[in-house]
Structures are given as C-alpha cells and as structure tokens.
Amino acid sequence: MALALQIVLVIASVLMTIFVLLHKGKGGGLSSLFGGGVQSNLSGSTVVEKNLDRVTILTAIIWIVCIVALNLIQAYS
C-alpha cells in the first residue's frame, strides 16, 4: 500500500510541476510556446486555461492526500 502511494505521489509531483509551468504568468509562461499566448491576449481567460486550473487543483489534491496517507501509514505501523 505504501509503495503504491509513493508511486502515485511521484507521478502527481511531476504532473503538478508540469501543469504549474504551463500556466500563463505575467510574462506569458510556457503556455505561450504552445500557441496559448496569442489567443489568451485576445479573450482574457480561455477554456484551456480554466481546464488547466481544474487539472492542476485536482493533481494538488491527489498530492496532498498521498502525503497525508503516507504519514498516517508511517505513524500507525
């Protein structure tokens, strides 16, 4: 069980890093490399950016749950 949670934690960490880097920042971020910069300048917040927000939040929740579960497993075993 702990090994599975550790694997999920590593995958969630890598994905969350990628998703955070894809967000549009003040300077455009890495999302402008994939064509998101021009469209988001014209229409404010795009559907892609909103979906990226949702996926990032979901990944962060999975990451936090894995950390809490691993700590509980360590504390009670």
Side-chain angles (χ1 to χ4, degrees):
M1 181 70 162
L3 180 63
L5 283 172
Q6 289 173 349
I7 292 171
V8 172
L9 181 66
V10 169
I11 292 171
S13 299
V14 171
L15 286 175
M16 194 166 48
T17 303
I18 292 169
F19 293 149
V20 167
L21 288 175
L22 285 174
H23 274 89
K24 180 181 175 261
K26 291 182 180 177
L30 290 178
S31 63
S32 63
L33 291 176
F34 301 108
V38 176
Q39 185 178 6
S40 64
N41 286 340
L42 297 175
S43 63
S45 182
T46 63
V47 175
V48 175
E49 190 74 24
K50 289 178 185 176
N51 288 335
L52 185 60
D53 288 341
R54 291 182 186 128
V55 173
T56 305
I57 291 170
L58 179 66
T59 307
I61 290 171
I62 292 170
W63 185 74
I64 291 170
V65 167
C66 285
I67 290 175
V68 170
L70 282 170
N71 283 328
L72 288 175
I73 288 172
Q74 184 180 5
Y76 291 114
S77 54

